[in-house]
Amino acid sequence: MDAITPKAKHDTPETHSHVVRPADMEWKKTRFPGCEVKGLLLDKESGLVTALMRLAPGAVLPDHEHVKIEQTYMLEGKLVDKEGPVAGLSVGAGEFVWREAGSRHVAWTPEGGLMLAMFQVPNKFFEHDGRVTDISGAQWDSLWGRVFKE
């Protein structure tokens, strides 16, 4: 039997498909040296994020937790767990890694890397002063905590 999709509010060109052209977008610097991003999808209600991330050789994503499942497809270079329970784990170009909710680590790109990253909700970054922030440096709970309270 064929699936039947009822007509819904997403049947117009404006609400059905959203084409994103990353080649026409500028790379945006993050607060982490050598880490740039092109946001492809951000749903502020659910926290869903899809982004291209480009890290320079030696760039580090400091101590962070994947609050829900995180998925990464490496397009170029190598992503390595620098610290954490699986320190030394390496994912290279053409490889895919997904991480369980609650997984925590420090990641780096010894030779640089380009990746497609998908998050069900943005990462928590653990600051040296005890704060918990998102990639922008904003307090994580004030922006994303509501996702868990609904």
Side-chain angles (χ1 to χ4, degrees):
M1 174 179 198
D2 291 335
I4 298 172
T5 305
K7 291 220 175 248
K9 64 180 182 173
H10 301 294
D11 287 340
T12 68
E14 295 80 26
T15 61
H16 185 276
S17 299
H18 303 270
V19 178
V20 179
R21 294 185 169 84
D24 297 337
M25 298 169 68
E26 297 290 323
W27 285 103
K28 293 184 179 178
K29 292 182 184 210
T30 70
R31 64 190 175 111
F32 306 120
C35 179
E36 299 174 310
V37 66
K38 289 185 181 187
L40 306 178
L41 168 69
L42 171 60
D43 181 349
K44 292 181 180 180
E45 290 303 309
S46 69
L48 182 67
V49 176
T50 302
L52 282 172
M53 296 182 70
R54 181 171 71 180
L55 281 73
V60 173
L61 284 175
D63 185 15
H64 63 279
E65 175 186 325
H66 301 286
V67 180
K68 290 191 176 181
I69 291 173
E70 174 258 353
Q71 303 174 72
T72 300
Y73 180 76
M74 290 301 297
L75 298 163
E76 299 173 2
K78 188 187 315 181
L79 182 66
V80 178
D81 278 33
K82 188 171 188 174
E83 296 176 21
V86 292
L89 175 74
S90 178
V91 182
E95 295 181 327
F96 175 82
V97 61
W98 68 274
R99 299 179 197 267
E100 299 275 350
S103 62
R104 187 170 167 175
H105 67 141
V106 174
W108 72 304
T109 54
E111 58 199 46
L114 176 65
M115 63 206 75
L116 177 64
M118 296 152 282
F119 308 91
Q120 290 179 301
V121 85
N123 292 337
K124 287 182 176 180
F125 288 88
F126 299 92
E127 307 296 330
H128 294 293
D129 63 6
R131 292 178 303 125
V132 179
T133 63
D134 72 355
I135 195 167
S136 73
Q139 182 195 29
W140 190 92
D141 196 52
S142 67
L143 288 178
W144 307 110
R146 67 176 161 57
V147 171
F148 295 97
K149 294 175 182 153
E150 296 174 350

